[in-house]
């Protein structure tokens, strides 16, 4: 299986900050990476697909980049509703695998 | 509006069987892969597998192959996840989710999610 490693595991930030989360794949996955947001007690929500495609309805402060093995999710001007956990997921090879998650805390 | 409505929480004993459901609406059920994702208490997301309702083609994560069975009933627009003999380690929330793009399972992500079904296995 392709291993997905996220860093950091958690980050403390304030409203208005810019937060960057990194995801590294154990092998080349081209641009086949997505990002999800999950709030406590809620189902995950797709934010980014194909490394940089912003899902419909997702605020423009969320952006993704990268290709190959290294990817980033950037949240610009952090809002109160952005405090959540974030997961990357590769869709290149079965089985798709998730990163371990990054918790964005106040 | 696309919706995935999952069955409710379950409390079971080790060794018991269980089948949970996920009913899709608001789209053509047969043409999108539906998957299952496990989240153990306080842990991350694990991709269990996907099924294509039109022909019941299934792709399992090897880690879950033989441990669970995925199925669909097209007439009811419903997907199922079942266990024949539960273990305490099956305690988790199980989400069903629909792929973003119809047809292919490759290069696809889960766009629509059910609310999750909490399965608790305890003696």
């Amino acid at each position: 299986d392709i291993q997905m490693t996220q860093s950091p595991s958690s980050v403390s930030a304030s409203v208005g900050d810019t937060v960057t989360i990194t995801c590294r794949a154990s092998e080349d996955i081209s641009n086949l990476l997505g990002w999800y947001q999950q709030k406590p007690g809620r189902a995950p929500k797709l934010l980014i697909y194909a490394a940089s495609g912003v899902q419909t309805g997702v605020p423009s402060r969320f952006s993704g980049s990268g290709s190959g093995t290294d990817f980033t999710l950037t949240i610009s001007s952090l809002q109160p509703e952005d405090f959540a956990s974030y997961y990357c997921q590769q869709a290149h090879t079965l089985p798709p695998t998730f990163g371990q998650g990054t918790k964005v805390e106040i | 509006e696309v919706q995935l409505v999952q069955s409710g929480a379950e409390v079971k004993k080790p060794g018991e069987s269980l089948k949970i459901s996920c009913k899709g609406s608001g789209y053509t059920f047969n043409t999108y892969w539906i998957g299952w994702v496990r989240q153990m208490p306080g842990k991350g997301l694990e991709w269990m597998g996907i099924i294509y309702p039109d022909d019941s083609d299934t792709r399992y994560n090897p880690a879950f192959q033989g441990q669970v069975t995925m199925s669909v009933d097209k007439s009811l627009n419903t997907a199922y996840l079942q266990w024949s003999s539960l273990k305490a380690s099956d305690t988790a929330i199980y989400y069903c989710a629909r792929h973003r793009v119809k047809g292919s399972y490759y290069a696809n992500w889960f766009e629509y999610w059910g609310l999750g079904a909490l399965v608790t296995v305890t003696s």
Side-chain angles (χ1 to χ4, degrees):
Chain A
D1 296 2
I2 295 177
Q3 303 303 311
M4 307 301 295
T5 304
Q6 287 181 233
S7 61
S9 296
S10 64
V11 57
S12 294
S14 300
V15 173
D17 286 353
T18 293
V19 171
T20 299
I21 300 169
T22 297
C23 181
R24 175 164 287 174
S26 60
E27 58 187 82
D28 189 339
I29 60 169
S30 184
N31 70 331
L32 297 182
L33 184 97
W35 291 95
Y36 297 89
Q37 176 195 65
Q38 187 180 32
K39 297 180 181 179
R42 306 284 296 274
K45 173 186 175 182
L46 180 65
L47 300 175
I48 303 288
Y49 61 91
S52 59
V54 182
Q55 179 65 12
T56 303
V58 173
S60 58
R61 61 181 180 273
F62 290 93
S63 63
S65 64
S67 67
T69 60
D70 294 314
F71 302 86
T72 58
L73 172 70
T74 301
I75 312 171
S76 304
S77 188
L78 202 65
Q79 297 300 299
E81 60 267 30
D82 301 335
F83 291 96
S85 293
Y86 295 84
Y87 295 90
C88 62
Q89 182 224 313
Q90 65 84 12
H92 181 273
T93 302
L94 290 179
T97 42
F98 292 92
Q100 81 278 17
T102 295
K103 189 172 184 179
V104 177
E105 302 174 295
I106 299 173
Chain B
E1 178 195 6
V2 174
Q3 284 193 311
L4 297 173
V5 178
Q6 295 189 235
S7 47
E10 302 272 2
V11 180
K12 292 289 195 180
K13 290 181 166 47
E16 291 186 330
S17 63
L18 176 64
K19 192 174 189 177
I20 62 175
S21 66
C22 172
K23 182 176 177 62
S25 63
Y27 71 99
T28 305
F29 183 75
N30 289 358
T31 58
Y32 288 82
W33 289 81
I34 283 197
W36 294 91
V37 174
R38 183 175 79 173
Q39 188 165 38
M40 299 176 77
K43 302 299 184 182
L45 305 172
E46 299 174 274
W47 190 94
M48 301 177 69
I50 49 174
I51 186 165
Y52 192 63
D54 193 49
D55 60 4
S56 294
D57 188 9
T58 309
R59 300 283 189 271
Y60 288 99
N61 183 333
F64 293 93
Q65 181 102 40
Q67 309 305 307
V68 296
T69 302
M70 297 178 192
S71 60
V72 293
D73 185 329
K74 290 193 293 185
S75 68
L76 297 178
N77 283 7
T78 301
Y80 302 96
L81 180 67
Q82 68 182 80
W83 296 258
S84 59
S85 181
L86 286 159
K87 309 179 192 66
S89 57
D90 292 318
T91 295
I93 296 172
Y94 293 88
Y95 293 102
C96 67
R98 195 208 81 174
H99 266 173
R100 181 176 167 274
V101 177
K102 67 167 69 173
S104 173
Y105 65 79
Y106 178 71
N108 225 328
W109 291 269
F110 291 130
E111 179 179 11
Y112 292 97
W113 294 69
L115 296 180
L118 174 61
V119 174
T120 304
V121 184
T122 178
S123 54

